[in-house]
Amino acid sequence: IKAIAKTIEICKIELSLTNQRVVGRVGVVKRNTMDTYLDKIQTIKVNESFFGRLFKYGEVIITTAGSDYHFYAIKNANEFKKKAMSEIDAYQDSKIAKQAKALAGAMKE
């Protein structure tokens, strides 16, 4: 029964990336969710088994200050990590640009 429950859980994993957030949901009956801003992410790690590399899937582990979130059987896990890291960099750059603009505006006054 545990194997069936784990299979259903793996089939119901959602992991989304936007230009500001990462949102993830795992499970059907018991649902675990994460929703965090990109600048709150400390690390993103990908674990791939032999078959994972062969069939292009892996486990994505997202670490925030609060906890670790595990997402199993993510298709193209390394691509997700690359895109997430790129979005994190762009998000941080936009925050710095906004701060600089606000500071420049305050200095004019």
Side-chain angles (χ1 to χ4, degrees), residues 36-85:
T36 188
Y37 284 103
L38 293 175
D39 63 343
K40 303 299 180 194
I41 294 173
Q42 294 176 340
T43 61
I44 299 175
K45 182 178 176 184
V46 173
N47 290 333
E48 289 180 317
S49 65
F50 171 75
F51 288 109
R53 285 190 307 276
L54 188 64
F55 295 109
K56 298 184 190 292
Y57 71 89
E59 174 188 14
V60 175
I61 303 166
I62 299 174
T63 303
T64 64
S67 60
D68 293 341
Y69 299 93
H70 295 257
F71 299 93
Y72 300 96
I74 300 298
K75 188 174 181 179
N76 298 318
N78 280 313
E79 275 301 308
F80 176 85
K81 179 182 176 180
K82 285 179 191 176
K83 287 180 183 177
M85 298 305 287

Side-chain angles (χ1 to χ4, degrees), residues 81-93:
K81 179 182 176 180
K82 285 179 191 176
K83 287 180 183 177
M85 298 305 287
S86 176
E87 287 295 330
I88 288 169
D89 289 342
Y91 184 74
Q92 289 173 341
D93 289 346

Side-chain angles (χ1 to χ4, degrees), residues 13-31:
I13 294 176
E14 301 170 12
L15 188 57
S16 303
L17 174 67
T18 71
N19 64 341
Q20 294 184 351
R21 304 172 89 77
V22 172
V23 179
R25 293 178 186 88
V26 177
V28 176
V29 176
K30 179 184 172 191
R31 183 169 278 246

